[in-house]
Amino acid sequence: MTETTQTHALIGKYYEEEREQREKELSLAELKLRLDANDLAMLGMIARRFRKGRDDVAQEVLSSALLDLFSCIDAAERKLMARDADDAAKSIADNIAEENGVRDVEFRTGYWTQQDRQITKVEKQREKAAKQAEKEAEKAAAQATQKEAAPAMMDAAEAQTAESQSSENKTVEDAGQYVETSAIEKAPAALETQTEAANELNEVAENSEEKEVASAE
């Protein structure tokens, strides 16, 4: 009983897939393509590899290619084209329904306008990322330049410090030489003064001795 139920469910799934495929075919317009041997051969290889019909693969490839082409169009022109395509889609869907004998055909309203918004969003994100990368590159270059200039600045500062120290040492040395020269220059005068004082003392002593001798006599 369980196997019968599963089998019934599987057959019901097949019926559902068949119905969806039929509805899909009725919602599509026929487009005849003329391909060269190379393109047609590869289309057949891809379809055979993934067990798909050539028409199905061609439809999906064309849909993807159209989106890529649309994304490459100038932003201002792309916006207008998206609006016109969305307006035309309704009329085309009505024609498809009439040709296939169905009441109406489902399609995505505003599809190309939505695609334009998404593409614009991605472009802005890329632009922002590019600007950020440019700023980071400039910052890295400035840091590298500053890092390269740092040793030169340090050398200049050290040279200036050494020059200042040398100047201070020279000033101290000159001051010492001045003091020493002044002392040397003053030394003879002091010595002369001391000699004169000693002579005077000797004369006083001699006079005293003479007076003592005269008194004794």
Side-chain angles (χ1 to χ4, degrees), residues 2-45:
T2 304
E3 293 181 358
T4 302
T5 302
Q6 291 178 350
T7 303
H8 288 173
L10 184 59
I11 295 299
K13 178 183 177 182
Y14 290 161
Y15 275 122
E16 181 65 21
E17 290 177 352
E18 185 181 48
R19 183 183 64 80
E20 291 177 354
Q21 182 63 28
R22 188 183 302 113
E23 290 180 353
K24 179 181 179 181
E25 292 176 354
L26 293 175
S27 66
L28 301 175
E30 184 178 355
L31 177 65
K32 294 182 180 180
L33 294 176
R34 297 174 63 86
L35 303 176
D36 64 15
N38 293 323
D39 293 342
L40 189 58
M42 181 52 64
L43 180 63
M45 289 297 102

Side-chain angles (χ1 to χ4, degrees), residues 27-163:
S27 66
L28 301 175
E30 184 178 355
L31 177 65
K32 294 182 180 180
L33 294 176
R34 297 174 63 86
L35 303 176
D36 64 15
N38 293 323
D39 293 342
L40 189 58
M42 181 52 64
L43 180 63
M45 289 297 102
I46 294 174
R48 184 185 305 173
R49 167 63 180 80
F50 296 99
R51 297 182 181 181
K52 289 179 174 288
R54 291 191 306 180
D55 291 345
D56 293 334
V57 175
Q59 176 192 345
E60 293 174 356
V61 168
L62 181 59
S63 179
S64 177
L66 285 173
L67 184 57
D68 288 340
L69 293 174
F70 179 66
S71 66
C72 296
I73 297 174
D74 181 74
E77 188 176 2
R78 186 177 64 218
K79 188 177 185 66
L80 296 175
M81 291 179 66
R83 183 194 63 187
D84 293 342
D86 288 338
D87 292 342
K90 174 59 178 173
S91 177
I92 294 173
D94 292 340
N95 292 335
I96 294 173
E98 184 178 353
E99 291 176 0
N100 293 329
V102 294
R103 184 173 181 180
D104 57 14
V105 172
E106 293 183 1
F107 69 99
R108 286 174 286 183
T109 305
Y111 171 78
W112 289 108
T113 299
Q114 293 176 2
Q115 295 298 327
D116 174 57
R117 291 173 181 171
Q118 184 63 27
I119 293 170
T120 301
K121 181 179 179 180
V122 172
E123 289 177 344
K124 289 182 178 180
Q125 290 175 348
R126 289 177 179 174
E127 183 179 358
K128 183 178 180 180
K131 290 182 179 179
Q132 183 65 27
E134 184 178 356
K135 289 182 179 179
E136 291 179 356
E138 292 177 354
K139 183 178 180 181
Q143 290 177 347
T145 302
Q146 185 177 5
K147 186 176 181 180
E148 292 176 357
M153 294 176 64
M154 291 179 63
D155 292 341
E158 291 176 358
Q160 184 176 4
T161 302
E163 183 179 356

Side-chain angles (χ1 to χ4, degrees), residues 189-205:
L191 181 60
E192 183 178 355
T193 302
Q194 292 177 358
T195 302
E196 292 178 354
N199 292 333
E200 290 180 357
L201 290 174
N202 290 333
E203 290 179 359
V204 170

